Amino acid sequence: MSHVYVSHAPQDLDDLLKLHEALRAASIPDWYAPDEDNDRQRNNATIDDAFAMIVLVSATSVRSKMVRQDVERAKARGLKLIPYQIDKARLNGFFKQEVQPHLRLSNAMPDGLDQLVAEVQKAYRRKCPVFAVMNLKGGVGKTTVSAQVFGAWHASIGGRVLLIDLDPQYNLTQTFYSMDFADESAAKDRSVIALFERSRLQARDAVSPAENWLGLSTEPFNPVARSYLVHDIMADGNSPSGRFDLISGQFEISKYAFATDQTALDKIKQHFLRTVEYYRSEYDLIVFDTNPNATFLTRCALEASDRVIAPMYTDIYSLRGVKLLQQVIQQQVAPEKRPELSVLFNAVGRSEQSTFEADARNGAFDAIAGFPLSKALMRTALPRSRHLAVKAPQEGQPAWKQLTIHSGRGGGLKPIRESLKAIALELNELEEARS
């Protein structure tokens, strides 16, 4: 689990605990040395697993050998430093050179602690971006992109990838597992509904939110360890290395579309957002597969996401779905929460670029789309291919074999795999440029 490392002097305990509580409220995992013992092996290992380091700057910490060693380790690992001044300590020597250039925040500022948490949250989200695959027109290949493009991401870029099936039809889940398997998981609340409401994963005697179709539970809950909730697609002993996980979908999340208690829905949305934030610490990328409607689930996905990938065919109907999606993003999501939009042409002819695609790239449809579509279009397009058709898994075949990047040989697979990798690499480039 990734975390922010807090470097501090033992005498700064009061400020440390205030910071710990503020980070916990924001669902950001943190770690700090629990005692005065400078266990370098332990501290170094924990720094190496961190996504950033907070340095509590005080009169005692600038004289602390342990804090100095922490900062030196962070510098050697290229870790982001976020200093926070908690008294009027004067910096000189090492701290003036290594810490002061990064020092912008202090507890003397009226909202200093809030700004510190926001700065840490920014680094936390860059560590694990969240993508939503979405178009308000159905049948444009959202499930194909969610499974196959990000299967290629995992194979070519690496890291820990989590797919979350937010479509009540749960086709993404059925790409990897049988319907019976998915339904058995849902019956145990080992499914997406556990991100929204307290479930039997938290307490065996709890009423399943899937059984309470007309009711909404706003009772707060702590996210469970990933092993209780996710399905490990790479679990087979012969699978490629790495972590490629799935939180399975289920029909019962469609109940939120019928709920009328807005106050309860707002609390449930906050449960979802906090739970997704928590799982960022376990992964390097999270991907939502979504339904083609503007619903409560759409808003949840958009507010949790850093980027939306909108697959579209080269036709005016798909364009309308993207236009409506952009309107929803602009009108329903606050500016500070709006994700970036990338549009991916899907199922294009491999031999030559269509007139529609060429016109779109030249800006001919920008006015119709209502936004600069030509700038949002990804360079790479996904070709039409039978290898990318969504199909049910074969009995006895491991789930990871459903990924085109790993399935068989020949039959025109090589160019398809190259296209999948190119799209994954372009998305990675876009995220690196954004951060």
Side-chain angles (χ1 to χ4, degrees):
M1 176 182 286
S2 191
H3 51 262
V4 61
Y5 183 100
V6 185
S7 183
H8 67 99
Q11 294 85 348
D12 300 327
L13 184 61
D14 288 346
D15 289 277
L16 173 67
L17 293 179
K18 287 179 187 176
L19 172 60
H20 170 72
E21 286 304 313
L23 292 170
R24 187 182 65 82
S27 298
I28 302 172
D30 65 323
W31 192 94
Y32 48 86
D35 48 47
E36 297 186 28
D37 177 34
N38 185 10
D39 184 337
R40 279 328 307 169
Q41 185 174 358
R42 175 200 64 194
N43 292 3
N44 286 347
T46 314
I47 291 168
D48 292 350
D49 288 338
F51 63 86
M53 178 184 287
I54 299 171
V55 182
L56 293 184
V57 180
S58 68
T60 51
S61 69
V62 298
R63 298 193 299 270
S64 167
K65 177 182 178 182
M66 182 168 69
V67 174
R68 175 172 180 154
Q69 289 175 329
D70 287 346
V71 173
E72 288 173 338
R73 183 73 175 192
K75 182 183 176 184
R77 292 293 182 270
L79 203 62
K80 180 179 178 64
L81 278 185
I82 310 175
Y84 183 64
Q85 189 146 10
I86 58 176
D87 64 21
K88 296 182 179 179
R90 292 182 60 187
L91 275 67
N92 49 44
F94 174 83
F95 282 84
K96 190 171 185 178
Q97 179 179 337
E98 301 297 341
V99 177
Q100 194 168 40
H102 307 281
L103 183 57
R104 298 186 303 277
L105 303 172
S106 77
N107 64 0
M109 303 163 66
D111 59 346
L113 186 57
D114 290 339
Q115 286 196 44
L116 175 62
V117 172
E119 185 77 12
V120 176
Q121 200 161 42
K122 219 180 286 184
Y124 183 49
R125 289 175 175 170
R126 281 197 292 268
K127 193 276 306 179
C128 175
V130 176
F131 293 169
V133 182
M134 187 179 293
N135 189 322
L136 297 190
K137 182 188 181 304
V140 293
K142 293 186 296 296
T143 298
T144 295
V145 170
S146 298
Q148 303 302 345
V149 167
F150 294 103
W153 174 299
H154 179 262
S156 55
I157 298 169
R160 303 160 298 173
V161 178
L162 173 64
L163 306 180
I164 299 179
D165 194 343
L166 281 179
D167 187 344
Q169 297 184 53
Y170 56 100
N171 289 329
L172 178 64
T173 304
Q174 293 175 72
T175 297
F176 297 103
Y177 302 103
S178 70
M179 183 182 291
D180 288 344
F181 179 92
D183 291 344
E184 287 171 10
S185 295
K188 301 173 185 175
D189 291 342
R190 190 184 178 189
S191 57
V192 69
I193 208 164
L195 303 178
F196 294 92
E197 297 181 68
R198 187 173 183 269
S199 71
R200 285 178 292 201
L201 295 184
Q202 279 78 28
R204 290 184 181 180
D205 59 349
V207 175
S208 170
E211 293 176 4
N212 192 6
W213 182 266
L214 297 178
L216 301 174
S217 170
T218 60
E219 185 179 354
F221 59 90
N222 292 320
V224 295
R226 53 168 288 275
S227 58
Y228 288 98
L229 179 59
V230 307
H231 299 294
D232 182 356
I233 292 172
M234 298 296 179
D236 176 74
N238 297 315
S239 69
S241 61
R243 190 192 297 170
F244 192 70
D245 293 346
L246 170 74
I247 297 179
S248 61
Q250 67 185 109
F251 172 72
E252 285 80 5
I253 59 172
S254 60
K255 76 176 192 173
Y256 301 124
F258 298 95
T260 57
D261 186 340
Q262 192 56 52
T263 300
L265 284 173
D266 287 343
K267 289 180 179 178
I268 286 171
K269 182 182 70 174
Q270 291 307 314
H271 292 169
F272 173 80
L273 296 175
R274 281 196 297 271
T275 306
V276 171
E277 285 294 297
Y278 173 83
Y279 288 118
R280 282 189 196 244
S281 68
E282 297 274 9
Y283 292 93
D284 302 300
L285 177 69
I286 296 175
V287 181
F288 301 133
D289 188 31
T290 65
N291 61 326
N293 301 304
T295 65
F296 171 78
L297 296 171
T298 309
R299 180 185 285 261
C300 288
L302 289 174
E303 289 194 18
S305 298
D306 303 298
R307 182 174 301 278
V308 171
I309 298 100
M312 68 173 286
Y313 290 160
T314 53
D315 60 47
I316 200 70
Y317 306 107
S318 296
L319 174 60
R320 178 167 176 78
V322 173
K323 176 182 180 178
L324 294 173
L325 172 58
Q326 173 68 1
Q327 288 177 357
V328 169
I329 293 172
Q330 293 297 316
Q331 296 171 12
Q332 300 297 321
V333 185
E336 68 274 11
K337 295 181 180 178
R338 277 180 203 150
E340 302 283 338
L341 176 62
S342 297
V343 181
L344 170 67
F345 273 127
N346 183 28
V348 301
R350 280 185 282 174
S351 56
E352 60 182 18
Q353 190 180 69
S354 71
T355 302
F356 187 97
E357 182 182 352
D359 288 346
R361 294 190 183 282
N362 289 328
F365 297 123
D366 286 3
I368 297 173
F371 72 100
L373 172 69
S374 54
K375 293 182 180 179
L377 283 168
M378 295 182 62
R379 297 188 308 270
T380 317
L382 192 57
R384 182 184 298 107
S385 171
R386 61 182 177 83
H387 294 296
L388 297 174
V390 177
K391 53 187 180 295
Q394 298 178 22
E395 187 174 353
Q397 177 176 277
W400 60 273
K401 284 285 190 179
Q402 292 293 97
L403 297 171
T404 302
I405 201 74
H406 300 304
S407 59
R409 299 179 180 177
L413 269 172
K414 185 176 179 180
I416 298 301
R417 287 172 172 162
E418 291 303 315
S419 295
L420 290 169
K421 288 180 182 178
I423 294 166
L425 291 170
E426 184 177 348
L427 286 169
N428 188 47
E429 288 172 14
L430 288 170
E431 276 307 291
E432 289 181 347
R434 188 177 66 87
S435 56

